[in-house]
Amino acid sequence: MANVGIIGLGERASWIVKLLLQYEQGIQIQAITDVDLQRAKLRAETRGIDTQHVKFYTDADQMLDSEKLDGIIIGTRCSLHTTMAIKVLKRGLPLFLEKPVSTSMADWQRLKQAREQSKSEVVVSFPLRVSAMVTMAKEIVQSGKLGTVEHVQAINNVPYGYDYYHTWYRDEEETGGLFLQKATHDFDYINHLLDIRPVRICAMKSKQIFKGHHAEGLLCVNCEEYHTCPEGPYAKKHFRGEASVENSLCCFGVDTGNEDSGSAIIQYETGMHVSYSQNFFARKKAAARGARLLGYKGTLEFDWYTQQLKVFMHHTSRVEKYEISTEDGHGGGDEVLALNFIHVMKGTARSVAPLEAGLLSAVMCLSAKESAENSMFITLP
């Protein structure tokens, strides 16, 4: 039996808990720390947790000091990931840590130092690197079929980008910006595929759509444009068939926050470079997430939305096409991470998404943000 404690039972953490329990490998949720106990209990019950046998806390240190736990899941708001992770690292417990691992350079330095002094095995929530799509792409890259990968073109056009302007995600002090929210996944799977070290980065970001003159803190239901706004809950519900939240904040207000597109160029130690671009106002069939990896012998292309992977050979007329179809979370990556964490807690496996990968991706995102704000190249530590 592995007794698990949770710090911050957010939507993402509760989903991981549900996956842990479904494998029926002796996982028990023993304790939960959350600032809103009523909401945490309700969310726990909807995920199949028997809350009658769970101890609830509002202080993480109290839970960690009082309970005998075999592993911890951290699912707090982003700005608390580092602080809570350090508490767990000091106790040497196995940890499942939501991304981004840090939202500031100061936190990144603190977490890096804590990592160096801890024996904890950490699984970072990077499901794309272990998804079926990337797993197959990695096999093809390692086979040498493409030759050495000498250029990567990656893209992420997010069809649900409104989430980053209607909700608490709009607060950049909380999230650290959208490189940390989205590109952290993409930078990680690219690093995983290339297996070489990034050395420099430059970036640019812009805010062209989600800006406006509406009052600070305005709720969509109180707006005079409620029935006509294309991004409001009324239009989403009645005309676009999308999920809507009635208490959404106006995404065209003076306090919206977050860029709505961003791009980065990353140089690696061999001299090759990666171009990456993300966008948050693409919609429906314009959605795209994936990459092209180009070698001298061939090009590999994949996209999670089309669920297709293709290999274009450069010196023959052959094109290989694969369907990577899965309904599981993040292309099957969530399930892989959950099962891996079970084995990590039992001491029978190492992390497939270690904290070192989380730290590398986070510093790339933080450096991209700094570069975009100061128009400069950043040398990565």
Side-chain angles (χ1 to χ4, degrees):
M1 180 68 72
N3 294 319
V4 177
I6 302 167
I7 302 175
L9 190 64
E11 188 64 28
R12 176 69 181 162
S14 69
W15 166 246
I16 295 300
V17 168
K18 181 179 180 179
L19 296 180
L20 292 177
L21 296 176
Q22 80 176 14
Y23 285 115
E24 300 178 352
Q25 293 202 24
I27 301 300
Q28 177 175 297
I29 307 305
Q30 182 164 317
I32 296 174
T33 297
D34 200 284
V35 294
D36 188 336
L37 295 183
Q38 183 176 359
R39 182 184 61 187
K41 288 179 181 178
L42 179 61
R43 180 168 285 157
E45 289 167 356
T46 61
R47 293 299 194 187
I49 301 172
D50 183 0
T51 56
Q52 291 185 344
H53 301 288
V54 176
K55 294 183 181 178
F56 285 87
Y57 297 85
T58 56
D59 181 85
D61 284 311
Q62 186 180 4
M63 181 189 79
L64 292 169
D65 291 338
S66 302
E67 303 291 336
K68 183 175 177 56
L69 300 168
D70 300 299
I72 303 294
I73 298 171
I74 292 177
T76 62
R77 292 280 180 93
C78 304
S79 63
L80 289 175
H81 288 173
T82 291
T83 297
M84 297 303 167
I86 291 173
K87 295 178 185 293
V88 178
L89 292 176
K90 287 180 177 179
R91 292 166 170 86
L93 294 169
L95 169 62
F96 188 100
L97 178 60
E98 239 331 299
K99 62 79 190 171
V101 299
S102 299
T103 57
S104 70
M105 280 303 300
D107 275 357
W108 186 86
Q109 293 285 0
R110 291 170 55 221
L111 185 59
K112 181 174 180 292
Q113 183 177 11
R115 163 76 281 179
E116 293 166 353
Q117 298 171 353
S118 174
K119 295 182 179 180
S120 291
E121 191 76 10
V122 182
V123 178
V124 177
S125 185
F126 278 155
L128 294 187
R129 66 156 43 210
V130 291
S131 65
M133 189 76 74
V134 169
T135 297
M136 184 168 190
K138 181 85 168 177
E139 291 175 2
I140 294 170
V141 169
Q142 291 180 329
S143 74
K145 180 177 288 190
L146 308 178
T148 305
V149 176
E150 300 295 355
H151 187 50
V152 176
Q153 302 160 341
I155 192 169
N156 187 6
N157 290 333
V158 184
Y160 50 89
Y162 42 77
D163 284 347
Y164 296 96
Y165 310 96
H166 281 306
T167 69
W168 65 269
Y169 281 113
R170 66 200 263 141
D171 184 356
E172 294 181 59
E173 292 297 316
E174 183 60 58
T175 64
L178 294 187
F179 282 118
L180 277 168
Q181 288 303 308
K182 274 297 173 195
T184 188
H185 280 302
D186 302 279
F187 289 171
D188 176 69
Y189 84 69
I190 292 168
N191 291 337
H192 178 63
L193 286 172
L194 295 177
D195 200 25
I196 52 178
R197 184 171 63 90
V199 294
R200 284 202 307 165
I201 193 167
C202 67
M204 184 175 292
K205 60 182 181 177
S206 57
K207 187 175 176 68
Q208 298 297 100
I209 301 297
F210 293 112
K211 58 184 180 179
H213 61 276
H214 286 298
E216 180 178 346
L218 177 66
L219 293 175
C220 290
V221 291
N222 297 327
C223 180
E224 61 184 13
E225 299 174 23
Y226 177 76
H227 292 100
T228 58
C229 177
E231 293 296 331
Y234 184 84
K236 288 179 184 178
K237 178 180 179 181
H238 295 288
F239 301 111
R240 286 171 37 189
E242 299 171 351
S244 63
V245 179
E246 285 299 318
N247 61 349
S248 298
L249 289 161
C250 175
C251 61
F252 298 113
V254 295
D255 59 334
T256 305
N258 288 329
E259 71 274 16
D260 47 38
S261 61
S263 301
I265 299 175
I266 310 152
Q267 184 181 40
Y268 284 75
E269 59 186 336
T270 62
M272 66 85 71
H273 77 276
V274 171
S275 65
Y276 170 80
S277 187
Q278 60 183 18
N279 175 279
F280 295 88
F281 52 86
R283 293 290 182 268
K284 298 188 181 298
K285 293 298 182 180
R289 191 174 202 176
R292 274 193 162 207
L293 286 73
L294 296 92
Y296 179 65
K297 295 180 180 179
T299 292
L300 183 154
E301 174 185 276
F302 60 87
D303 187 302
W304 274 281
Y305 285 99
T306 64
Q307 296 191 320
Q308 290 186 342
L309 185 151
K310 301 176 183 178
V311 179
F312 304 89
M313 301 311 299
H314 290 178
H315 304 292
T316 71
S317 58
R318 190 171 80 243
V319 177
E320 301 173 7
K321 298 181 181 180
Y322 303 89
E323 296 285 341
I324 314 294
S325 181
T326 175
E327 299 299 323
D328 296 333
H330 285 99
D334 287 344
E335 286 75 7
V336 173
L337 290 179
L339 189 58
N340 178 237
F341 187 52
I342 291 174
H343 294 315
V344 164
M345 287 189 288
K346 292 182 176 182
T348 58
R350 301 296 301 275
S351 171
V352 295
L355 184 52
E356 287 73 18
L359 287 165
L360 176 58
S361 176
V363 79
M364 291 171 71
C365 292
L366 289 165
S367 298
K369 180 182 178 184
E370 181 183 355
S371 170
E373 292 172 350
N374 296 285
S375 302
M376 60 192 295
F377 276 89
I378 304 291
T379 299
L380 296 167

